[in-house]
Amino acid sequence: MNAKTLVKLATQAIRKNKMRAALTMLGIIIGVAAVIVMVAVGYGARSRIQEQINNLGTNMIVITPGAAQASGVSQGAQAFPNLSLKDVDKIRSQSQYVAAVSPVIVSRTVVIGPAGNWRTTINGVDTDYQTIRDWQTATGDFFSADDVRSNRKVVVLGNTVAQNLFPGQDPTGTEIQIRNSVFKVTGVLAPKGQTASGSDSDDVVLIPYTTAATTLSGRTFIPQILASTANEQDIAAAQDEIRTLLRESHKIVDQGDDFTVKNQADLATAAASSTQVMTLLLAAIASISLLVGGIGIMNIMLVSVTERTREIGIRMAIGARGSDVLIQFLVESIVMGVLGGLAGLAIGVAGAKILGHFTGWETSISPLIMLVAVGFSGAVGVFFGYYPARKAAALNPIEALRYE
Amino acid sequence: MGDVVIQTSHLVKTYVTGTNEVHALRGIDLQVGRGEFVAVMGASGSGKSTLMNLLGCLDTPTDGSYQLDGVSVEGLDRNALAAIRNQKIGFVFQGFNLLARTTAIENVELPLLYDRTGRKRDTKALAIAALERVGLGSRLEHQPSELSGGQQQRVAIARALVTEPAIILADEPTGNLDTRTSVEVMALFQELNQQGITIVMVTHEPDLAAYASRIVEVRDGRIRRDEPVKNRRSAAEDLKDLGDEEEEVA
Ligand SMILES: Nc1ncnc2c1ncn2[C@@H]1O[C@H](COP(=O)(O)OP(=O)(O)OP(=O)(O)O)[C@@H](O)[C@H]1O
Ligand SMILES: [Mg+2]
């Protein structure tokens, strides 16, 4: 018998029991649909995180106080008030690989504009911050190096803050009030959207770090230093260099670092690990579902072999070998698996589209994944169909013919 | 290949069920020549079906030897026996044994699909020819449930014929049919026999055995009588006498 005849036979047999076949395939359908949605959403999540991390600025290096813990989470900045402006200067003057460096002095407070109040994050930074984060202004300009040197009360507004304080207007050149001081608005930043952790990148205002240190907090330590290299290849070298410079500056000889230097890849890994948990969970659901689906196929094939004992007897009497019968039933369970796989694929693709539509996530399914999903369903058919098929093939023709 | 299709010597079949032994066949010596039409008769339980199963290579003897169409069958494995059933034997059963929800053509085509010699290429054309030969040229696409008993048995006969076997084995082929239809099947067998096909048929009815060319009577696992039919009847003639009823298959 050729492959075409076998597949035709199998589809005929399945069509004779449509409802039963559909219920049997349900496990496979759910399993494959789960895999497809998982892969589609997983891809979307990864590319979203990647985009957000790239949004932070190209070739960025983040230096925070405190040693990296085993879990990869560093302790709070307050516990280690050990990064200073001296460190920033040292990196700027002595590093070969670092192209731009800026301290970030963070505080949260209320800013007051003509249209009302807005509670936001104030980042005290240097002019290099713009380079590091690759952040253009939408209107106006970033403050100048001279502004930084002279502790001027100037501010660049994030897009969200600008829209809340100056709805429908360009605030460049006007003034806002931060903690009883009046700041001149030099420009508004282009919108960047959400961060990897889901907060609003644009809900921020930038002022010179010198002004932040003197006017706002009076604090001398720096919770974060950002740096960047001119190109990607230099990142690792720059990190090593920064580590050496800071250990020198902190007079560390034998102990471990009291600071942490991370690059974007590290941040990406941290972010990706959270999606990995979800991926594993869905993979577990999918494999259990495929297992249950496979057992369903095996069960129905066993019933089918018993029901069709007489048919098997007839086929053997007119010359079918055991292997012919084996292949016939095996193809039937493979077809069932593949049909289930295709149905699951269709549902999975549709599900991913709908999910993408409502969440705005980008979803993508590669043809390879589709092929693997359907191929795997076929493999489930082979694996769970083999035992019933072998049972059919081993029947004695006379007994099978006599079976009522 | 000589003119002997079936040659058995001291064929023995003993069924063992638990501690019980059933001696179904106690030594059968049978020779069937090409072109014969043999009727096997005997009481119920005498071993007729057991003999047919052995002749049809569906079962293997406990003892004795069997040559079919010049080929010795002893010691062949399951696959070799399947090939012999496929190429040398055509079965006709009492219960028709057609595949349900499968058209006449597909039923008749089936043995050709299991032919591994690659000789039979145009399976569909061969199936149609076989169905025409048994007078069912107008019922090609019918399923068994859409055919009368006699028509179903004709499909089964076409299926037996289609591989051009050395012999047709029929175990009570008319057991499920009424008298008239039985005679119709006999007429078909006689026609095929005249065309040179060898037939061995089990029947309980002496009336039907009279259409054969030879009667073999089995009793208690042995051949008790083996003689040619003296006044052989013609089923075609008898059909005419059976009345003016229209023939079932036009
Ligand atoms: N598979 C089997 N296991 C045990 N005994 C069997 C088996 N098949 C047949 N027999 C026994 O062998 C003997 C011959 O049976 P067989 O079926 O050949 O008879 P038969 O002549 O065909 O009878 P009938 O005319 O009723 O069909 C019987 O006694 C039967 O009980
Ligand atoms: Mg019998």
Side-chain angles (χ1 to χ4, degrees), chain A residues 1 5 8 12 16 310-311 314-324 328 393-395 397-398 401-402, chain B residues 15 53 58-59 78-79 82-83 85-86 91 93 95 97-102 106 110-111 113-114 116 159:
Chain A
M1 273 203 188
T5 320
K8 195 181 120 194
Q12 271 173 356
K16 278 176 200 166
R310 208 183 170 80
E311 177 195 326
I314 296 170
R315 287 178 185 275
M316 285 179 160
I318 61 174
R321 288 182 179 191
S323 58
D324 290 319
Q328 182 190 337
L395 283 174
I398 301 175
L401 274 172
R402 250 192 232 128
Chain B
Y15 292 109
N53 288 343
L58 283 167
D59 208 350
R78 270 169 68 103
N79 286 345
R85 289 197 297 271
N86 184 239
F91 285 102
F93 303 93
N97 275 343
L98 298 174
L99 294 188
R101 295 198 242 185
T102 306
E106 287 170 335
L110 207 54
L113 300 181
Y114 290 116
R116 286 163 186 268
R159 183 180 65 191

Side-chain angles (χ1 to χ4, degrees), chain A residues 44-375:
Chain A
R46 255 194 308 283
S47 65
R48 204 170 63 251
I49 288 166
Q50 196 52 51
E51 193 186 319
Q52 285 161 350
I53 286 166
N54 287 342
N55 247 344
L56 291 174
T58 46
N59 311 331
M60 188 173 78
I61 296 165
V62 181
I63 305 146
T64 47
Q69 303 298 297
S71 65
V73 180
S74 62
Q75 292 193 15
Q78 259 75 6
F80 296 87
N82 53 5
L83 288 181
S84 63
L85 289 174
K86 214 178 80 203
D87 295 332
V88 178
D89 288 339
K90 193 172 173 82
I91 292 169
R92 182 181 292 127
S93 56
Q94 292 179 28
S95 168
Q96 316 170 32
Y97 294 107
V98 171
V101 61
S102 164
V104 182
I105 298 174
V106 189
S107 56
R108 276 191 71 80
T109 188
V110 174
V111 295
I112 305 162
N117 300 348
W118 187 252
R119 190 171 174 79
T120 188
T121 305
I122 319 284
N123 280 349
V125 299
D126 203 345
T127 49
D128 270 359
Y129 185 85
Q130 192 185 12
T131 318
I132 296 165
R133 301 276 326 252
D134 189 22
W135 208 343
Q136 304 307 312
T137 49
T139 56
D141 293 309
F142 213 82
F143 47 75
S144 65
D146 190 45
D147 291 331
V148 176
R149 260 194 306 278
S150 320
N151 296 9
R152 287 212 186 95
K153 292 188 176 118
V154 285
V155 63
V156 184
L157 302 183
N159 188 56
T160 304
V161 179
Q163 275 180 4
N164 281 287
L165 295 186
F166 301 91
Q169 297 171 42
D170 177 9
T172 306
T174 62
E175 288 176 338
I176 62 167
Q177 204 180 322
I178 306 174
R179 286 240 182 101
N180 307 326
S181 303
V182 174
F183 281 70
K184 183 163 176 260
V185 179
T186 62
V188 177
L189 293 164
K192 256 193 194 291
Q194 288 194 344
T195 67
S197 54
S199 59
D200 182 1
S201 306
D202 300 317
D203 189 6
V204 73
V205 300
L206 304 179
I207 60 174
Y209 73 93
T210 47
T211 318
T214 53
T215 320
L216 289 185
S217 62
R219 286 180 289 190
T220 51
F221 78 93
I222 316 255
Q224 190 181 55
I225 299 172
L226 295 182
S228 71
T229 56
N231 52 55
E232 213 179 314
Q233 298 92 283
D234 291 343
I235 292 178
Q239 275 181 275
D240 286 344
E241 201 183 39
I242 289 168
R243 200 168 290 130
T244 315
L245 289 172
L246 290 186
R247 284 177 74 87
E248 232 172 72
S249 153
H250 293 189
K251 304 193 169 59
I252 300 172
V253 187
D254 293 327
Q255 300 102 314
D257 298 346
D258 61 352
F259 53 89
T260 308
V261 183
K262 280 187 177 170
N263 63 25
Q264 277 188 80
D266 300 333
L267 297 172
T269 323
S273 71
S274 64
T275 57
Q276 211 138 29
V277 174
M278 191 181 80
T279 308
L280 276 177
L281 199 72
L282 276 161
I285 293 171
S287 31
I288 289 170
S289 202
L290 284 177
L291 181 74
V292 172
I295 293 170
I297 287 185
M298 176 137 100
N299 181 35
I300 283 304
M301 289 310 294
L302 281 172
V303 171
S304 178
V305 167
T306 308
E307 274 177 358
R308 285 152 67 191
T309 301
R310 208 183 170 80
E311 177 195 326
I312 295 164
I314 296 170
R315 287 178 185 275
M316 285 179 160
I318 61 174
R321 288 182 179 191
S323 58
D324 290 319
V325 173
L326 182 112
I327 287 172
Q328 182 190 337
F329 280 89
L330 209 51
V331 168
E332 200 171 311
S333 61
I334 293 171
V335 167
M336 202 131 56
V338 169
L339 283 181
L342 288 173
L345 181 66
I347 292 172
V349 169
K353 279 253 159 62
I354 292 168
L355 204 66
H357 180 77
F358 283 110
T359 57
W361 296 347
E362 183 194 349
T363 59
S364 164
I365 305 153
S366 75
L368 182 72
I369 290 296
M370 299 195 194
L371 216 66
V372 167
V374 175

Side-chain angles (χ1 to χ4, degrees), chain B:
Chain B
M1 282 194 276
D3 275 320
V4 178
V5 180
I6 284 175
Q7 173 82 57
T8 77
S9 88
H10 196 69
L11 216 52
V12 171
K13 182 72 187 182
T14 306
Y15 292 109
V16 182
T17 47
T19 54
N20 241 30
E21 285 197 354
V22 180
H23 300 277
L25 296 180
R26 295 167 187 268
I28 298 275
D29 297 292
L30 179 68
Q31 182 169 338
V32 176
R34 199 172 302 281
E36 279 196 274
F37 181 177
V38 178
V40 177
M41 298 192 68
S44 186
S46 57
K48 305 182 295 294
S49 294
T50 306
L51 177 61
M52 291 299 263
N53 288 343
L54 292 183
L55 296 182
C57 297
L58 283 167
D59 208 350
T60 47
T62 313
D63 195 13
S65 69
Y66 173 30
Q67 286 199 322
L68 171 65
D69 204 23
V71 177
S72 194
V73 169
E74 302 116 56
L76 294 182
D77 66 7
R78 270 169 68 103
N79 286 345
L81 290 176
I84 286 181
R85 289 197 297 271
N86 184 239
Q87 281 149 44
K88 293 196 185 293
I89 299 166
F91 285 102
V92 179
F93 303 93
Q94 177 176 357
F96 317 137
N97 275 343
L98 298 174
L99 294 188
R101 295 198 242 185
T102 306
T103 64
I105 288 194
E106 287 170 335
N107 262 297
V108 175
E109 234 183 328
L110 207 54
L112 300 176
L113 300 181
Y114 290 116
D115 186 335
R116 286 163 186 268
T117 61
R119 288 175 302 147
K120 309 281 177 3
R121 295 216 169 269
D122 197 350
T123 57
K124 193 159 183 183
L126 288 170
I128 292 171
L131 281 164
E132 277 165 353
R133 206 165 161 193
V134 300
L136 280 181
S138 58
R139 299 286 194 281
L140 299 178
E141 300 293 341
H142 286 55
Q143 297 184 357
S145 60
E146 299 159 355
L147 294 170
S148 73
Q151 289 170 331
Q152 287 185 56
Q153 196 58 299
R154 279 164 192 267
V155 175
I157 293 168
R159 183 180 65 191
L161 280 175
V162 76
T163 55
E164 297 174 55
I167 191 165
I168 286 185
L169 298 175
D171 193 348
E172 298 189 47
T174 59
N176 288 5
L177 302 174
D178 64 17
T179 312
R180 193 197 153 81
T181 319
S182 299
V183 178
E184 279 172 12
V185 170
M186 287 305 110
L188 180 56
F189 274 178
Q190 281 192 332
E191 193 188 322
L192 295 171
N193 185 233
Q194 255 140 42
Q195 293 163 10
I197 291 171
T198 312
I199 300 170
V200 174
M201 170 185 81
V202 170
T203 181
H204 278 287
E205 296 181 50
D207 285 355
L208 296 181
Y211 295 114
S213 62
R214 174 181 161 196
I215 294 179
V216 170
E217 195 183 327
V218 179
R219 201 182 304 156
D220 205 15
R222 290 194 177 89
I223 293 178
R224 281 298 142 111
R225 185 164 68 102
D226 183 352
E227 55 191 30
V229 176
K230 284 178 212 92
N231 302 314
R232 195 177 179 197
R233 301 184 64 88
S234 159
E237 302 272 308
D238 286 354
L239 272 179
K240 281 182 203 146
D241 300 343
L242 263 172
D244 353 294
E245 300 157 63
E246 290 256 309
E247 225 185 290
E248 195 191 1
V249 178

